[in-house]
Amino acid sequence: MISERSGRATVQLRRLSDGTVSPLPQLGRHQPHSSPSLSWNARYLAVITQRGGRRLAVVADRLNGRMHPLPLPGGRAPIRLSLAPDAQQLALQVTDQGQWRVELLDLSSMLEPDRPPGQALSTPAVGADP
């Protein structure tokens, strides 16, 4: 959810069962936030932040604390985003010189897949049928 914090829109991850808020230290300096989107297990959080006067799409990896900025060439500005459940793609609505469009970014070379709950990443045993 997005909430007001010190006069700025700030993303918060709040557990619905008990209201516990999970810390997001890697996003603390880059506010305001908008358009949050989570992967299956909430390992990855994609959000639009602001750095200086420029809007920037980022993906925060909550498992290892890394933040992956997604710079857009040519002066395009992110408006909204949607992260695929496995975090392998990101749909991004951008504006470019007054034109609006949706771009699909492949994140598979940057992020490990976030599998659905109960589905582990496995490799078949040698000689086993796939």
Side-chain angles (χ1 to χ4, degrees):
M1 70 186 266
I2 299 286
S3 64
E4 268 314 292
R5 187 178 188 189
S6 301
R8 296 187 139 184
T10 303
V11 68
Q12 283 188 343
L13 288 181
R14 185 178 303 252
R15 184 175 302 164
L16 294 176
S17 61
D18 62 9
T20 304
V21 176
S22 297
L24 300 167
Q26 63 269 47
L27 294 174
R29 293 178 291 147
H30 307 286
Q31 295 169 313
H33 302 138
S34 63
S35 193
S37 184
L38 289 170
S39 62
W40 279 115
N41 298 301
R43 174 180 176 175
Y44 298 107
L45 168 66
V47 67
I48 296 173
T49 66
Q50 190 141 349
R51 193 174 288 169
R54 188 168 175 219
R55 293 170 57 89
L56 179 68
V58 299
V59 177
D61 184 339
R62 297 182 53 242
L63 182 65
N64 64 24
R66 278 207 213 134
M67 188 164 76
H68 302 275
L70 305 171
L72 299 173
R76 294 178 292 204
I79 304 300
R80 286 189 192 92
L81 56 74
S82 181
L83 185 63
D86 66 358
Q88 297 299 281
Q89 294 183 320
L90 181 80
L92 193 59
Q93 181 183 14
V94 298
T95 180
D96 182 14
Q97 299 176 357
Q99 300 293 317
W100 294 60
R101 66 173 178 252
V102 174
E103 296 182 3
L104 189 61
L105 303 179
D106 180 3
L107 304 178
S108 63
S109 64
M110 181 187 326
L111 305 175
E112 296 175 339
D114 190 8
R115 303 287 181 199
Q119 185 182 26
L121 193 59
S122 63
T123 56
V126 175
D129 290 332

